[in-house]
Each structure stands twice: as structure tokens, then as C-alpha cells.
Amino acid sequence: MTTGQKNTESNASELMKLHVEALFTHDRNMRLRTINEPWPGEDPAPRFFLGRDLEGTALCRFRYDVPEELVGKLTTLCADEALSGGDFQAKPKHFETYMEILQGDRFTMGPCFLVPERLEPNRDVIRITRENQEDVSRGGFEWLASEIDYAQPCVALLHDNRAVSVCRSVRITPRADEAGLETLTDFRGKGYAAAVVAGWAMAVRQTGKLPLYSTSWDNLASRSVAGKLGLSLYGVNFKIW
């Protein structure tokens, strides 16, 4: 690990910047454009992103079509959004005002984690590539064929020689990747998901990048994986669509 990477790992505000830049593409003015999916597609980014980190910093970004007048108002409110009291699941202080100003029809929010260094899977996992994808994805993961060339690294745990839990890079940047995790219904609750996240994180770090993992507060299964692995919470995101 380089000194710069080590410093980034201990800097919650820098991790939040890596997080938003992994989630969405930006224009030259740092306005949000699209969801940063590695496979072809241009799904629009949310109109508003607010990242609150554990160092007390609030980071806000806006989609390219939000008027400058609204950007000014929202930026002023964001400056007052430091996390306080450890109530990480609480809505932002100015939640109602954000929704009113943007006339938002839905929002999402949830915790953001860094997968720590030296975390190793407690079960055998394998890398999935184009060469072996067809052999192991039968019986539930056939859809991997459409994205296997893009969502790398991709790590799986096998049962009876077929993938039952998969973690892959679904948001990719030069400095960090975000995890995408899927486990077949009949194989949940067995610790398989934690093993593939750990294996995926090792593969990401081997490329010299940081492995990030985020989810929503209502995704209890995903939060359970984070807890089992002891992932490092660095902040909370909030998005209005």
C-alpha cells in the first residue's frame, strides 16, 4: 500500500469523495450526469447527493439540470449537515426542505463502508471471468454473461460447482471500486456473502484500488454482511431522485 492510499483510508471525507465519484459520472463542473455503471448504459444520476462523513464534513453534489439558484440554496443548507450524536440513521437535518425545493418523488439513504486491509475470506472462493463464466453461472447467475467483461473483479462461492453467491465491481474508478453483491435465495444466511465480499476486496486491492461497500438502511441482509466482516463505517449517503 502506498503512503497516499494509507492516508486516504484514514480520511473519511476523502473516502466520501471517492464514493460519490464511483457512484456517478460527472461533468467538468462536477455536476452529476449518469449512474457510473461499467457496462453500456446511461441511467440518470439523482438530482441531489449528500454525503455526511464521520469527520463532520458534508459533501453535496447536484445533477447537471438542477438550476443554479437552487444549487445555491441547497449548498447553504448542506453546510449545516454534519453528523451529530452518532444517530447515523437519522434523516438529514433539512430533509423536508430538500424534498420541497427539489420536488423529489423519492429518496434513498444508507451507510458507506471501506473494506479493511488484510480481510480474507473464510471459505474458498474463485474469480469468474469470461473463460469460466458459463460453467459456473448455471442455475441462477446466467445474467452474468451480459456483464462479466465489465464488472471485474468478480468473485464467487461455489456449491456443487455452481455459483451461489457473487460479489463484483459495479462502480469502477481509477482509485476505488464499489461492490455489487448477490446471493441466491436458498443460500442466504450461511456466511457465503461475507466470504465473496472479502475475496472481492482482496482482488480489488491487488489492482491498487480501495474496495468500497455501501447499502441502504432498510437492507438488513446487506448490513448484516457489513457487520460480520467488521467493515469500517466512514459516513452516510442521502440521494433525492
Side-chain angles (χ1 to χ4, degrees):
M1 182 193 301
T2 66
T3 300
Q5 186 179 29
K6 186 173 182 179
N7 291 339
T8 298
E9 292 207 34
S10 61
N11 188 325
S13 61
E14 184 64 23
L15 289 171
M16 186 60 72
K17 290 178 183 178
L18 294 180
H19 171 62
V20 68
E21 289 166 10
L23 291 186
F24 311 113
T25 64
H26 294 65
D27 63 22
R28 65 180 63 185
N29 298 314
M30 297 307 291
R31 292 291 205 101
L32 307 181
R33 300 293 301 188
T34 64
I35 295 175
N36 183 34
E37 296 169 326
W39 46 84
E42 293 190 354
D43 293 326
R47 300 187 70 209
F48 174 58
F49 172 93
L50 171 65
R52 297 173 292 162
D53 64 62
L54 300 192
E55 294 175 356
T57 304
L59 170 70
C60 55
R61 296 277 170 89
F62 310 92
R63 202 167 67 194
Y64 67 93
D65 55 355
V66 176
E68 287 293 340
E69 178 184 357
L70 299 187
V71 168
K73 292 179 180 178
L74 293 165
T75 300
T76 298
L77 294 172
C78 289
D80 188 37
E81 286 289 1
L83 285 172
S84 61
D87 188 5
F88 303 138
Q89 297 190 44
K91 293 177 181 176
K93 185 183 299 185
H94 301 292
F95 169 78
E96 299 293 345
T97 306
Y98 296 140
M99 297 297 286
E100 180 180 353
I101 289 176
L102 291 167
Q103 298 182 342
D105 57 0
R106 67 185 178 96
F107 71 92
T108 60
M109 61 182 295
C112 308
F113 302 96
L114 172 69
V115 185
E117 192 180 15
R118 294 186 293 275
L119 184 65
E120 297 183 1
N122 60 3
R123 289 178 168 84
D124 291 336
V125 297
I126 68 164
R127 290 284 297 273
I128 299 184
T129 63
R130 174 61 61 188
E131 286 68 31
N132 65 353
Q133 174 270 321
E134 187 174 356
D135 294 333
V136 301
S137 62
R138 57 186 170 77
F141 281 105
E142 289 84 357
W143 52 265
L144 273 177
S146 65
E147 62 178 62
I148 196 63
D149 295 328
Y150 309 103
Q152 290 291 336
C154 179
V155 172
L157 186 147
L158 303 187
H159 180 79
D160 291 337
N161 295 317
R162 68 183 181 109
V164 296
S165 186
V166 170
C167 186
R168 72 243 189 259
S169 292
V170 293
R171 308 284 183 265
I172 298 172
T173 72
R175 297 180 62 194
D177 287 6
E178 283 268 351
L181 175 64
E182 301 284 346
T183 301
L184 299 182
T185 302
D186 291 345
F187 295 90
R188 294 174 184 171
K190 301 178 183 296
Y192 295 170
V196 293
V197 171
W200 166 82
M202 288 182 63
V204 170
R205 285 185 177 276
Q206 288 169 2
T207 70
K209 297 194 287 184
L210 295 177
L212 305 180
Y213 181 100
S214 58
T215 186
S216 61
W217 287 121
D218 58 3
N219 190 336
L220 299 182
S222 183
R223 288 171 53 197
S224 176
V225 172
K228 289 177 182 177
L229 289 172
L231 303 191
S232 301
L233 178 73
Y234 64 85
V236 177
N237 68 36
F238 171 76
K239 303 179 284 288
I240 296 178
W241 302 81

